[in-house]
Amino acid sequence: MSRREEYEARTEGLLGPVAEANGVSVYDVEYVKEGSDYYLRAYIDKPGGVNIQDCENVSRALSDLLDREDFIPDAYILEVSSPGLGRTLKKDKHLQAALGEEVEIKLFKPLDKCKEFAGILESFDSEALSIREGERVRTFRRQDIALVRLALKL
């Protein structure tokens, strides 16, 4: 387990009870470096979406726990927010919840001279993901996929 994965897993462990106590669920946790700054991002969700008060309540409680546990030696910025409407689908639980929904896929390398595809998420497993584009079902190897997210419906 990498340092990043360890920080994310430990943070998610602390976040679970905090989220439950505040009537929200944990969507994801990520620890990333952007420029010279590290960010610890906690994404929370609930039916109907989260509001600023939900984010503030969870942020305060999580910050206190992180200060107490003090397992991340780097200086970092804590952010607590909603995963958003065009949320990234990184985990199998995210893909499962999005079956039958329209998704956008971005590939690392072009396929048929294209790196971006959109369609209805039909199925997935540990090796591949399939979408329906009209009458056509297209399957992508998961290792070729850079990003999967819900399509924004405007």
Side-chain angles (χ1 to χ4, degrees):
M1 179 180 285
S2 71
R3 184 175 71 128
R4 176 188 59 80
E5 291 170 326
E6 177 189 341
Y7 296 166
E8 291 172 352
R10 287 186 70 180
T11 300
E12 192 163 339
L14 294 174
L15 181 57
V18 170
E20 187 176 325
N22 284 279
V24 299
S25 62
V26 177
Y27 185 80
D28 199 11
V29 173
E30 65 180 9
Y31 182 75
V32 296
K33 184 173 185 182
E34 293 178 2
S36 62
D37 295 322
Y38 286 96
Y39 291 85
L40 180 61
R41 293 190 175 116
Y43 297 99
I44 59 173
D45 203 10
K46 71 178 181 185
V50 297
N51 58 43
I52 192 73
Q53 192 64 53
D54 295 324
C55 294
E56 183 179 337
N57 293 342
V58 170
S59 180
R60 288 177 193 266
L62 179 59
S63 180
D64 290 346
L65 288 173
L66 289 166
D67 287 347
R68 189 173 324 128
E69 296 291 322
D70 198 26
F71 57 87
I72 302 175
D74 309 307
Y76 62 88
I77 298 163
L78 175 64
E79 295 179 348
V80 176
S81 69
S82 162
L85 295 175
R87 60 191 61 194
T88 302
L89 307 173
K90 293 197 281 188
K91 299 179 179 179
D92 284 353
K93 70 178 184 177
H94 303 152
L95 292 168
Q96 184 66 42
L99 284 171
E101 299 286 332
E102 186 173 0
V103 298
E104 298 172 347
I105 297 174
K106 292 187 180 183
L107 302 177
F108 289 112
K109 296 183 213 171
L111 176 66
D112 300 331
K113 299 182 182 179
C114 190
K115 287 177 76 173
E116 297 184 19
F117 299 87
I120 303 300
L121 181 60
E122 290 278 311
S123 64
F124 70 93
D125 61 27
S126 62
E127 302 293 320
L129 182 148
S130 296
I131 61 170
R132 177 171 298 283
E133 300 171 308
E135 297 301 314
R136 179 180 183 183
V137 174
R138 189 184 288 263
T139 300
F140 303 91
R141 294 184 321 166
R142 284 182 79 163
Q143 67 190 33
D144 297 335
I145 298 172
L147 174 76
V148 180
R149 69 175 172 216
L150 284 179
L152 289 176
K153 297 174 185 166
L154 302 175

